[in-house]
Amino acid sequence: MLRGDARGRVPDWGGGHSGRSGRRRRRPCCRGDAGLSICRGFQTEKDSLRSLTVSTMIHSLFLINSSGDIFLEKHWKSVVSRSVCDYFFEAQERATEAENVPPVIPTPHHYLLSVYRHKIFFVAVIQTEVPPLFVIEFLHRVVDTFQDYFGVCSEPVIKDNVVVVYEVLEEMLDNGFPLATESNILKELIKPPTILRTVVNTITGSTNVGDQLPTGQLSVVPWRRTGVKYTNNEAYFDVIEEIDAIIDKSGSTITAEIQGVIDACVKLTGMPDLTLSFMNPRLLDDVSFHPCVRFKRWESERILSFIPPDGNFRLLSYHVSAQNLVAIPVYVKHNISFRDSSSLGRFEITVGPKQTMGKTIEGVTVTSQMPRGVLNMSLTPSQGTHTFDPVTKMLSWDVGKINPQKLPSLKGTMSLQAGASKPDENPTINLQFKIQQLAISGLKVNRLDMYGEKYKPFKGIKYMTKAGKFQVRT
Amino acid sequence: MSSNSFAYNEQSGGGEATELGQEATSTISPSGAFGLFSSDMKKNEDLKQMLESNKDSAKLDAMKRIVGMIAKGKNASELFPAVVKNVASKNIEIKKLVYVYLVRYAEEQQDLALLSISTFQRALKDPNQLIRASALRVLSSIRVPIIVPIMMLAIKEASADLSPYVRKNAAHAIQKLYSLDPEQKEMLIEIIEKLLKDKSTLVAGSVVMAFEEVCPDRIDLIHKNYRKLCNLLVDVEEWGQVVIIHMLTRYARTQFVSPWRQVDSLPAEPQGKPKNTGMGSLSLLQRIFPIYMSSRNYVSFLGDVLEDNEKDFYDSDEEQKEKADKRKRPYAMDPDHRLLIRNTKPLLQSRNAAVVMAVAQLYWHIAPKSEAGIISKSLVRLLRSSREVQYIVLQNIATMSIQRKGMFEPYLKSFYVRSTDATMIKILKLEILTNLANEANISTLLREFQTYVKSQDKQFAAATIQTIGRCATSITEVSDTCLNGLVCLLSNRDEIVVAESVVVIKKLLQMQPMQHGEIIKHMAKLLDSITVPVARASILWLIGENCERVPKIAPDVLRKTAKSFTSEDDLVKLQILNLGAKLYLTNSKQTKLLTQYILNLGKYDQNYDIRDRTRFIRQLIVPNEKSGALSKYAKKIFLAQKPAPLLESPFKDRDHFQLGTLSHTLNTKATGYLELSNWPEVAPDPSVRNVEVIELAKEWTPAGKAKKENPDKKFYSESEEEEDSSESSSDSESESGSESGEDEEDDRSGDSAEDSGESGSEPEAGKGRAATRSRARGRGDSKDVDKEKENSKTSESSSGESSSIEESSSDSESESESESESESRKVTKEKEKKTKQERNPLTKDVSLLDLDDFNLVSTPVALPTPALSPSLIADLEGLNLSATSSVISVSTPVFVPGKTHVLLHRMSGKGLAAHYFFPRQPCIFGDKMVSVQITLNNTTDQKIENIHVGGKKLPMGMQMHVFNPIESLEPAGSITVSMGIDFCDSTQTASFQL
């Protein structure tokens, strides 16, 4: 109850009655209705009832920060009072952590579908049956677009660019149905803010809004804008593979799989038509493509043939077939023990390289959620830095590079709560690492060809292997 | 903000005061509501002034701030009069922001909102399609009932707009108007019907959405468009795909028979008695002479027989099918059904999780069970994405895995839980693991579960214990192991774990009424330490049930709990009462007093349930004069054999909801949920999906057709393929013809969309062709050509000549070609056979193309060189065509849908012939222009000098970039020049003189 006041919520003039009072009334039988009929005022009850029976996909969007303030709202149809978010706040309170808030929350008259990214909840309000993934996927696309436009997606940035945000949202949805979600098209409709353009706009009074329909929208390549020109024509492809693994106590692999993506940054003039072929396409077990990739071509020849969008995009994500044994590039030796009698525990871990194909392992970080009983840890690393947060009980150790001659280790003691019994499980160790110039699955790009344009582009391919969800049980 | 205040100061002059005002607003939130209110007022005054100024920059600034207010949810409605004036602003950004404002507040200020309407009406006629579209968007978003007729009119007009983008917006507007005034439903349905026929991929998704919202029950509107939608699907934007797939799933469930028939409904079907009339022998004949069946004579003979035995035929046909079901010919899938399944498959590779899920549910609901397996891999892939996507996908997998374990068994390890997963994800994964557990993998799973039980996430650990209990009941081999493991957990230090174990053990013991005295004793001891009410209640219940097996312990437990009765939870109190009653009945000597003590305590309990129960038990077990016959049976009542609880998955009953829907996620029926109907017993007439062109083709199907008229329908629906092979072949032929016709149409309109001027006109032309079916429109696009050149009336006469080019060069012409051919057939019956032969190779090509349609559709539009002569292009195209027909897989990177049109015939041009075509590439003269390439041929034997563009007659707004004058053209020489024409997104003609 107190939270509403503690947040210092600004009274909600828009909804016709204040958010504060809406907050207090914990569960009036038909809150959504009340809000609607008040704000309409003159409309008959029949009208407001009818508006409930007629649907639209996404009715409204609320952006809520981690402290529970609604800092942006957008409605694509009649206004839904922001008091509908009270149900969301209730769910938030019930779930101890942000990520445990259920993505779908039913309320008497609406359904709240939310996505949690960058410490912001994007809450979509819908009224009728709709495939939930449709909404969720769209919300993710909104976040991606913001990120694309502003570099980062955070509360201050959104607040600063609220007009552009509004214009973009207006173009992305019409009547709750997605209209333009391709970033190439959006950027032609509404130009992303840059410092230069802001200055120019103030002086000349020109605008961010394009006045022509993006040509791509009508063509067979809706993802690419036309009239692209570059002086340096370049196409870069990053093959990034992530290893998801669970390693058990004894060091044997319980499950391991490789997921990969090919991210591209293509800056080519005109309408280039690219083909990318692999030395060993059989490795790829399951793939999903950017819409630009011609599926038939892949089916028949195992070649990626596509007209790329302009700029950065994810060309392909793939899964390496399970038959191939996954090489695990690192191992972790651990000795973590709690004793019943004393209030001290021993902690020792060592990280070492295993199957690295001769490459160095970089960017190693070790994180572990220690049991609640651990009060503090006094540790000394042989390299890198470590921190232990006594509140969240999170230990993290930034190791850096692994030198095979001198393996990094972290040793020390844990002080446990006096009198408490020893935790019955040792903490799980999560590992992050990077290996440059290696695709652990052995996938190799054979060649990249360009058709349709005359110039010679500069082509670059980079490989990288990373840890995905890499866990070691101790 | 700084730029804001700068412009602002400049404007109002009173720098100091406004500065203050702004500062006040920026720091307002912590201060009270009153301060905010006053400053709000002040600020709004300033905004009003800014809006009324002459400078665009000030207006823009004001609008930006107003939008900021709207975004924060503050009320800006009082500015309405000031804002609405700016709706006609020249500055497009101001205009857009005013639109945003209008849409937000028009509902509250209906009268004032009407002021803006005329602006939109004007904008609806704007030559720029973007402006037309956005005017329609805003107009339809203004929820003011008075303007319904205006909206209706606007939608009607927009639905016939040349720009597919505007038509798309019209489709969106339909839904808005419907929600504003459902009375308009009938009219709107008409528009939907019209738009459903639209061949643009841009429109398809939106109109299906409108269909779903306005009239989802009018399935008849879909019939004619079904095949088109299936074929367009891959090229529709991803959101449209989701909507269309869901709609088609429902459609398929009403129109096709179940592909699972032999599995599901066979036992339900009554075994038909053999009716052995003429038809019995027919089926025999069929089996013996399958070849003769196809011969036309036979069919006509058959027709005679059929007419006589129509009824019998039906019966025996069904019976025959049933037999066939049992035998090797299991079931013949409707080709349309197959088409849908085949065309959605590539979408499993979509990057959009919603599309993948939509296809998955389609396969689940309508594909044969043997084919549904391919979706599992894609669904497992989705588990890599965000938490929210995982949540939904896991729920759906959970439902699927109950029914068809095999589908996900190979991916067992993908559902292993990671400590970093959110709790809800962990629990869903656990659910799936439980569903997938079997004798083979249970030992691995149990080992995995052991890790989970120790998890720090106690909610998850508790769920794991439940899971172990379920595994123990479903797989009898391991039930003892599980039970032992659970008993070990009883000594766990964590109370939640222990409590959960107790509850699960209770259930297990109840299911296996064997001697588990030891476990019960062990649990009785736990009663001293454990505090969780559910667990205590479970132990007490267990002891009560088995009180005869533990005769010594039970009374002691009762004694202990009697002491603590008052401080127990209600749940526990009830169980103490139960225990007391049971002991009283079995061992009254020791426990009589104790029980009475407890009953007395219960009598005065605060909870009425407990008081009620006490009263009930007392009457039942304590013999007194009032207690009737019932107390004799007290023992039977209390110590009856109780059925064991079933440990079931919470996802067990979810499968009656369509997968991937909100209702499925919530497990309750959401508003607006459309039931997925059951498969029909007999498929409705499939010929309703045939498009008109086919109907036309049917009429010409020679011989026997007329006689067969009656059983015709039945033949189709039962798919007796041999009997009417001629029929069906012609059918399929024309069908594929029309399909590919659509493909090509799509190809063409898609390709042409490159140059926006052309795009509007082309599909339109295509439509016109279908509607009028006149011979001349075989050259649909040349309409404008006809108008264009007054000096060359030769287009008609030269058609013979130019058609040779067309035939060789453009596959896209095939539709009209075949049409005109068929028409000619009508005229001359002699030609019939010849045309038929002609058609056959054509069809072959076409079906191959059809197979390969993805390639074609997505083939690039790029041209190798802009200066390529059309003849070379024609060659290239010929190559392309032959390549596709011989090797399906090859898709050439260059594909030019160029058609050459005659601009100037050599006769009328005094020996100078000019052909033009649209190379479908960005024009080099300007991005609004459409490039046109003109090939000039000199057919005389003299030089032609100084060829240049003379008088131009261009409509308003059109621009033309002419080619440089050509000094001379050698005899028999040819030259290609390119021009740029800005058609202003319309189909205006450009006339000029050479």
Side-chain angles (χ1 to χ4, degrees), chain A residues 16-38:
Chain A
H17 67 91
S18 88
R20 205 177 280 232
S21 67
R23 208 90 231 286
R24 286 249 168 74
R25 279 182 290 145
R26 264 286 111 148
R27 235 180 238 284
C29 55
C30 52
R31 186 163 21 185
D33 243 357
L36 279 175
S37 55
I38 289 172

Side-chain angles (χ1 to χ4, degrees), chain B residues 561-575:
Chain B
T561 48
K563 248 201 287 186
S564 61
F565 185 86
T566 44
S567 56
E568 295 284 3
D569 190 270
D570 290 344
L571 200 64
V572 185
K573 282 179 183 169
L574 287 175
Q575 288 308 328

Side-chain angles (χ1 to χ4, degrees), chain A residues 73 82 99 101 116 129 140-141 170-171 181-182 218 242 244 273 287 289 294 296 422 473, chain B residues 71-72 96 137 179 238-239 349 351 384 386-388 448 493 661-663 671 753 854 858 860:
Chain A
E73 62 180 70
R82 53 164 71 190
E99 62 169 13
V101 178
Y116 182 64
E129 173 61 53
H140 278 296
R141 209 59 72 79
E170 189 75 30
E171 289 301 332
T181 49
E182 282 295 337
L218 296 171
E242 292 190 358
D244 287 355
D273 191 346
V287 283
F289 301 120
R294 296 181 184 106
K296 280 278 154 169
K422 80 168 190 145
R473 291 174 181 165
Chain B
K72 283 191 198 112
K96 278 220 162 167
R137 255 175 85 184
S179 67
E238 40 199 352
W239 311 108
Q349 252 66 49
R351 63 167 170 173
R384 282 278 300 170
S386 68
R387 164 189 81 101
E388 296 86 7
E448 186 70 14
R493 228 163 300 144
T661 58
L662 186 62
S663 306
T671 348
F854 303 119
S858 54

Side-chain angles (χ1 to χ4, degrees), chain B residues 173-444:
Chain B
I174 291 173
Q175 303 162 51
K176 298 184 214 170
L177 180 54
Y178 180 62
S179 67
L180 188 64
D181 184 7
E183 312 269 286
Q184 307 290 326
K185 189 172 174 179
E186 287 313 310
M187 293 255 266
L188 290 174
I189 290 177
E190 273 173 39
I191 300 175
I192 289 175
E193 193 174 358
K194 199 166 93 188
L195 283 174
L196 273 172
K197 294 200 182 91
D198 203 301
K199 298 220 165 74
S200 164
T201 51
L202 209 55
V203 184
S206 301
V207 69
V208 171
M209 187 65 220
F211 170 83
E212 289 281 77
E213 232 153 72
V214 179
C215 51
D217 45 341
R218 287 290 302 275
I219 212 98
D220 55 301
L221 297 182
I222 302 299
H223 292 321
K224 289 260 179 280
N225 301 296
Y226 173 81
R227 288 173 192 155
K228 183 194 73 188
L229 284 174
C230 285
N231 285 319
L232 286 185
L233 198 56
V234 206
D235 292 324
V236 176
E237 31 83 47
E238 40 199 352
W239 311 108
Q241 284 173 347
V242 178
V243 177
I244 296 177
I245 293 172
H246 274 270
M247 189 274 289
L248 289 179
T249 310
R250 278 194 305 119
Y251 180 86
R253 283 292 280 258
T254 59
Q255 298 300 316
F256 306 127
V257 287
S258 167
W260 321 321
R261 201 180 180 90
Q262 59 270 45
V263 188
D264 291 344
S265 54
L266 242 189
E269 267 178 15
Q271 295 289 319
K273 278 174 246 156
K275 280 194 180 178
N276 218 348
T277 47
M279 294 326 289
S281 54
L282 171 71
S283 60
L284 190 74
L285 272 174
Q286 268 186 316
R287 256 172 260 141
I288 301 169
F289 305 116
I291 306 148
Y292 292 123
M293 291 296 163
S294 58
S295 104
R296 198 155 293 142
N297 292 339
Y298 187 78
V299 170
S300 71
F301 150 73
L302 209 66
D304 289 330
V305 181
L306 288 184
E307 253 173 344
D308 296 335
N309 301 308
E310 205 181 307
K311 274 217 160 143
D312 290 337
F313 168 67
Y314 289 157
D315 289 345
S316 70
D317 189 48
E318 239 170 46
E319 161 216 326
Q320 188 193 329
K321 201 166 119 237
E322 218 171 313
K323 274 186 201 162
D325 272 353
K326 283 182 194 165
R327 286 186 201 151
K328 60 181 179 295
R329 191 174 65 127
Y331 141 89
M333 189 184 265
D334 188 309
D336 288 327
H337 192 172
R338 172 55 63 199
L339 177 76
L340 177 59
I341 293 174
R342 194 186 57 209
N343 281 10
T344 45
K345 191 181 165 204
L347 296 179
L348 279 175
Q349 252 66 49
S350 171
R351 63 167 170 173
N352 187 322
V355 176
V356 177
M357 190 65 231
V359 179
Q361 67 85 24
L362 179 127
Y363 266 77
W364 177 261
H365 289 295
I366 73 162
K369 292 202 162 133
S370 55
E371 289 170 46
I374 59 163
I375 62 175
S376 36
K377 195 188 272 181
S378 304
L379 287 178
V380 170
R381 183 186 70 230
L382 294 186
L383 298 181
R384 282 278 300 170
S385 42
S386 68
R387 164 189 81 101
E388 296 86 7
V389 174
Q390 278 186 47
Y391 175 72
I392 306 288
V393 172
L394 284 171
Q395 276 189 328
N396 284 293
I397 294 181
T399 305
M400 292 186 201
S401 60
I402 291 176
Q403 282 188 25
R404 302 182 206 166
K405 272 188 183 188
M407 266 174 72
F408 291 98
E409 255 172 19
Y411 304 98
L412 186 73
K413 287 192 171 176
S414 304
F415 302 108
Y416 278 9
V417 174
R418 293 162 203 282
S419 61
T420 42
D421 287 335
T423 308
M424 56 183 178
I425 303 289
K426 286 179 186 165
I427 288 171
L428 280 169
K429 280 186 172 175
L430 206 54
E431 175 64 39
I432 295 167
L433 288 176
T434 322
N435 293 339
L436 295 179
N438 59 21
E439 286 85 356
N441 58 25
I442 187 67
S443 55
T444 337

